[in-house]
Amino acid sequence: MPIINLQIHRSLSTLSATADAVLADKALTLLKRHPYQLNSLSSEFTPEAAFNLLLKTQSDQTLTLKFLKWAQPQPFFTAKLKCLTLHILTKFKLYKSAQTLAQNLAVDLPRDDGNFVFSCLTETYHLCDSTSSSAVIDLVVKSYSHLNMIDKAVNIVNSAKVHGFMPGVLSYNAILDSVIRSGRNNWVKFAEEVYNEMGKSRVSPNVYTYNVLIRGFCGVGDLEMGLRFFGEMEKNNCLANVVTYNTLIDGYCKLGRIDDAFELLRDMGLKGIEPNLISYNVIINGLCREGRLKETKGILNEISRKGLVPDEVTYNTLLNGYCKEGNLHQALVLHAEMVRNGLSPNVVTYTSLINSMCKSGNLNRAMEFFDQMHVRGLRPNEKTYTTLIDGFSQHGFLDEAYRLLNEMTKKGFMPSIVTYNALIKGHCTGGRVEEAVGVLHGMARKGLAPDVVSYSTIISGFSRSQELDKAFDTKREMVEKGVSPDTITYSSLIHGLCEQRRITEACELFQEMLSRGMSPDEFTYTTLINAYCTEGDIPQALRLHDEMIQKGFLPDVVTYSVLINGLNKRARTMEAKKLLLKLFYDESVPSDVIYNTLIENCTNIEFQNVAALLKGFCMKGLMNEADRVFELMLQRNHMPNEAVYNIIIHGHSKVGNVQKAYDLYKKMVCSGFVPHTVTIIGLVKALHTAGMNEELSQVIENILRSCRLTDAELAKVLVEINHKEGNMDAVLNVLTEMAKDGLLPNSGRSTYGQLSEW
């Protein structure tokens, strides 16, 4: 009986195989003559028949592709068939189609760890006449890696090695790229293991391998590891390409090491690798990050010399840089140039422009940019809306701020804590502190926990309005909610107490602040110094002044004004003058800080004392002292920049030292600097008043020569006509209007060098 059953089984198998072969031949005939009739076979077609047909057509690319187009969506197209197809497509070098099929295979088998697919690949490899086993393995591994199925990709590589197949560098590169992009835990260790495994398997890394590793390590700030692999490239005679250099240059820039980035850029040229636009864009971004925008002009000139054209990335980077620096005039010039060249600012750039306009109080222009975003098909994001809400709130237009808040939520953006803090600050700025408290409680109801900024803003509001009981109640509430007060919290309360002349309580709060490990800031010290000056306790005020310097806080113009006023009230005028010069003569500026750098960065805390010193002298008309500071700078070989020139020229013009102001103006222009509009107008007024007509003509000629914008043409004509007619009031009016409209050059390096010969 068993023998009879076995014979029956064999007979059925033979019949089935014969039937599949017949079906395959029938399909092949239709494929050659009437491919549109293949659908008539769909219901009876089997995986075996498809297998049979593919083996018969595997040398005919046209027939194979026609069949696959029909077969792939069919239910009989199994995983094993897909693996056979991968070998055939790879043999035809149709890698893109093969990769798409491999990704479909991976998605269709979510529970497979890679072993089943590998077994299908090996089985089908032996059935067809493909000799590209390594290429197929590489392609499948790459497909799994692209889908972030890293563990399955590694399993396939390991199985391939066990069965005598040798995965190539493409497999390892795909795994490395995927694991680095994924950012999975311990990716650094994993990537190093994969790299080491390449060495053990005698697979030589190529430039792509090294580029992936360098990008990964530089991306997390580990430049040293990136440089280590760069060194290994050279040791292994693997030539770096422009991508390698761009990645390392970006790594240097992100760490603020711009000079090293420049050195690497120059090294590219020496190695025969031409920098591309990305290379220069990376450098420009680094310079903008560090506030070194003046140096970007040299990069732009080099871009032009190389025949490259700035793209949207170039312009967007520069626009953001100028906006952050506060140079709105240059940002607007660049924006106009960008649009004129057919390039579009992105959402980040528009948000920067909107932010700059809001800070300058030009809310109408901010909304114009907001509308432009919609016209250009750009979708404002949460930061864009928050920027506008903050702008309108700070200028007292809370109704418009709330309208934007409603629009923001309708567009699907959830207001963040930053958004609500902007509204809180707006209410407090307008003296509506109770409404700000309402916003704070509303945040909590919506599941957003107020932070230290939220509470400190309200405390500051109550302190300014002299409602100190409510301010201290808010401090207690924030502590109960688990939010720790910061320096601003304490400084606001100390300021409120000092305003009520409760200096003992202010000092107790100051000591509490110190005991909690918080460092007072300039505002804290200046508040207490002012309080002691008001009480007539000058020694204590001077002690605090010395203490703040010892702790690394350099007094600003406000601190000095407070002390000078206090000393003057006590008839100690000479001591007030000595105090202003004290820091400069005692060389209290840290020796590791370059003097000129401090001047160029007047907003930096480290330099505010020097800027305030010069400005303080000029504001009070102490021009002899200002000149002594200026001369000392020259003696110490510290070349003044435009900030110093603008301050001292304006000071001399104001007090009537017109010849001195004019001489300094000539030096400034000869040094390649463009005077600020305020300086120019002040000097023009002074020269006209002093009757120095020849010098006046020279200054106006230089103004008009440096004013290149076409929008200024009419204004330039008006200036020329009125100057020739001797109507200086009209000249000054036109110059003032030009300054308001941004048509006169701001401070900075002249693009023309010396504007005139002296």
Side-chain angles (χ1 to χ4, degrees), residues 667-688:
K667 287 181 182 178
M668 182 179 188
V669 176
C670 285
S671 298
F673 295 116
V674 178
H676 193 276
T677 52
V678 174
T679 309
I680 288 291
I681 291 171
L683 181 60
V684 167
K685 285 182 179 178
L687 289 169
H688 173 59

Side-chain angles (χ1 to χ4, degrees), residues 14-32 34 37-57 67 70-71 74 76 81:
T14 303
L15 285 170
S16 175
T18 303
D20 289 331
V22 170
L23 200 55
D25 288 338
K26 189 176 180 180
L28 187 57
T29 302
L30 290 174
L31 200 61
K32 290 177 179 178
H34 310 290
Q37 292 183 6
L38 280 170
N39 286 333
S40 63
L41 303 178
S42 296
S43 59
E44 55 183 311
F45 216 74
T46 63
E48 290 76 15
F51 214 93
N52 194 309
L53 191 148
L54 279 172
L55 290 175
K56 287 180 179 179
T57 64
F67 175 70
W70 172 72
Q74 304 293 342
F76 61 76
L81 270 171

Side-chain angles (χ1 to χ4, degrees), residues 291-310:
R292 293 164 60 174
L293 277 116
K294 291 177 185 177
E295 296 172 60
T296 60
K297 187 177 178 184
I299 300 297
L300 290 172
N301 289 338
E302 189 169 332
I303 288 173
S304 181
R305 283 198 306 273
K306 294 284 179 73
L308 300 172
V309 179

